[in-house]
Amino acid sequence: MKDNRRNFIKKSASMAAALSIGGVSTGMATPPLVSKEKPKAPKAFEKDGGMKFALAMGPDSPRVPFAKQIDVMHAVSGIVKNPNLKPWDPEAIKATKAAWEKEGMKWTVVEGPPSLGEQTKLALAGRDEEIANFITFMKNLKQYGGVDVICYNWMPVISWARTTMDRPGRGGALVTSFDYDDIKNKPLTQYGEVSKEAMWKNLEYFLKAVVPEAEKIGMNLSLHPDDPQVHSIQGISRIMNTVENFDRMLKLVPSKYSGLTMCQGNFSLMGADIPALIRRWGKAGKINFVHFRNVQDLSGKLPSTKFTETFHDEGQIDMHAAMQAYYDIGFKGTIRPDHVPTMHGEENTRPGYMTLGTLYAIGYMRGLAESVAKASAKA
């Protein structure tokens, strides 16, 4: 009896040891470990990755028929001009919406809003009135236009600028380019020297006035980077010219409705890893609108002081990785090509915005979007 009891104790001890080191599998069958987490289902395929492909144009643009033929049914535009109406008047906004609806297209973004100029950006007389008109525009745009994204910039007096509008590119196409050496000795503007401190102070004043109003109505304010992203032009400082400064801006008046326009070219010329930056800001919900473009730095400096635009499939940005990043963060907003070459047979009347280069860019973008979306659907 004692021997049986002693043997039982020994066997029990051996079994406990085996269990403690996992050795029991050699002596007895055990159920496999089953993860409680459900495997992620692949995303269903969506055309254009679920994004709103768009062109920048007015409803009377000759590019509208092309847009419809290539199934780009979203528009980025300003307000249809009417000499009898202010652009923030409800009737002006209603007329613009109606013009787009007549074309069967959806108006999704206003780029370059009215009532946001030197008065606000340079803190001149009339600033508060200009800001009040901007707030009125926001409210009426949302109510009567159904638009909830406004792309604006913080570049007073000298906005988008290039020093060459017809630089020969691939195959003789014409592209725009910039070289700070060509303008560094140009005289001051009538506003003299404007410091970075003043520009920051004026931006904070603007944001404190408009962001709370944007929150009330659900308007997404989308700040575009400085272009070119140099430190100053003709004495006027530029502050939206580094990634760090955008992070600072987003903290001035924190809000889900204060975000940015991901203009790939400018952020790349600041030295940013574009796919990584898309993921960081995208996951934070800060990307409201995208300018899909490619560039090439020629200066070796950061921010770049000399660069050229390129076709979308050349240049320094990994465009497939960028499109993958937008898809991965679930970006569903408006995305448009920007700053395209002027191609053979076209007159260079609107450098950066001619038709053939734009159509080429959309085809390239659509191919990228289909590639990443179908790869995910098969995963």
Side-chain angles (χ1 to χ4, degrees):
M1 189 72 177
K2 289 181 179 179
D3 289 340
N4 290 341
R5 186 168 181 268
R6 188 179 295 114
N7 290 336
F8 174 76
I9 292 172
K10 285 181 179 180
K11 289 179 181 179
S12 297
S14 297
M15 184 66 73
L19 285 170
S20 69
I21 62 174
V24 73
S25 61
T26 63
M28 62 187 294
T30 57
L33 294 176
V34 179
S35 173
K36 294 181 180 180
E37 293 185 7
K38 292 182 179 180
K40 291 183 179 180
K43 295 181 181 179
F45 173 73
E46 292 181 270
K47 184 176 180 180
D48 297 336
M51 292 170 257
K52 299 179 178 71
F53 277 26
L55 296 184
M57 58 188 177
D60 59 347
S61 170
R63 295 201 294 177
V64 170
F66 290 104
K68 291 193 286 187
Q69 288 173 4
I70 61 175
D71 198 25
V72 173
M73 303 304 292
H74 297 89
V76 176
S77 86
I79 307 300
V80 173
K81 292 182 179 180
N82 184 323
N84 300 316
L85 296 171
K86 299 292 186 184
W88 49 86
D89 287 346
E91 293 307 314
I93 294 169
K94 288 178 183 178
T96 305
K97 181 183 180 183
W100 282 117
E101 288 178 341
K102 183 179 179 181
E103 295 293 342
M105 301 185 72
K106 173 66 176 175
W107 182 28
T108 57
V109 178
V110 163
E111 190 167 346
S115 193
L116 181 57
E118 276 66 58
Q119 283 76 13
T120 300
K121 296 173 186 178
L122 296 178
L124 303 177
R127 170 171 65 170
D128 289 338
E129 180 182 356
E130 189 170 76
I131 290 176
N133 288 335
F134 182 91
I135 292 171
T136 297
F137 176 68
M138 283 198 307
K139 293 177 178 178
N140 289 340
L141 181 65
K142 182 68 182 289
Q143 181 176 354
Y144 300 108
V147 175
D148 65 358
V149 177
I150 295 177
C151 174
Y152 70 106
N153 68 65
W154 210 249
M155 298 180 283
V157 188
I158 302 165
S159 185
W160 182 80
R162 295 291 183 268
T163 54
T164 302
M165 294 296 192
D166 56 357
R167 185 179 191 273
R170 186 173 69 193
L174 303 179
V175 296
T176 68
S177 63
F178 178 82
D179 188 343
Y180 187 72
D181 286 342
D182 292 343
I183 64 166
K184 65 182 180 181
N185 295 321
K186 293 186 73 173
L188 300 177
T189 72
Q190 67 189 84
Y191 301 102
E193 295 277 357
V194 180
S195 70
K196 288 185 180 291
E197 291 74 16
M199 293 291 287
W200 276 111
K201 183 178 179 181
N202 299 342
L203 177 58
E204 184 173 10
Y205 186 94
F206 170 75
L207 292 174
K208 284 183 175 179
V210 302
V211 171
E213 299 300 323
E215 287 184 331
K216 293 176 185 177
I217 61 173
M219 178 61 72
N220 296 288
L221 299 173
S222 192
L223 181 57
H224 189 286
D226 293 338
D227 187 5
Q229 59 296 312
V230 293
H231 288 296
S232 69
I233 295 181
Q234 293 181 253
I236 299 178
S237 293
R238 298 195 161 209
I239 58 173
M240 303 319 302
N241 63 339
T242 69
V243 171
E244 293 75 18
N245 282 0
F246 264 84
D247 286 333
R248 176 180 171 181
M249 180 279 295
L250 293 170
K251 294 176 183 176
L252 287 178
V253 185
S255 170
K256 65 177 292 187
Y257 295 102
S258 179
L260 57 93
T261 294
M262 175 53 75
C263 187
Q264 296 182 172
N266 291 119
F267 286 116
S268 177
L269 292 167
M270 296 174 194
D273 177 328
I274 295 303
L277 192 60
I278 292 167
R279 286 189 166 86
R280 178 162 76 84
W281 278 337
K283 289 176 181 177
K286 295 303 178 183
I287 300 176
N288 296 324
F289 177 38
V290 175
H291 283 179
F292 201 78
R293 53 184 276 242
N294 210 345
V295 293
Q296 184 62 55
D297 170 59
L298 303 174
S299 70
K301 300 177 182 178
L302 296 176
S304 176
T305 58
K306 182 178 181 180
F307 61 88
T308 183
E309 306 281 356
T310 68
F311 278 95
H312 279 64
D313 62 345
E314 55 178 347
Q316 64 191 41
I317 302 172
D318 185 333
M319 302 293 264
H320 182 272
M323 188 64 78
Q324 182 73 61
Y326 292 121
Y327 185 78
D328 289 346
I329 65 171
F331 180 71
K332 302 294 184 182
T334 301
I335 180 171
R336 74 167 181 84
D338 199 18
H339 297 187
V340 301
T342 297
M343 297 183 70
H344 175 73
E346 293 183 307
E347 293 185 15
N348 196 28
T349 53
R350 290 196 67 208
Y353 292 95
M354 298 306 295
T355 299
L356 294 182
T358 298
L359 299 179
Y360 178 86
I362 286 288
Y364 179 69
M365 290 167 60
R366 179 156 284 153
L368 291 179
E370 182 170 333
S371 171
V372 299
K374 284 190 174 178
S376 177
K378 292 177 181 179

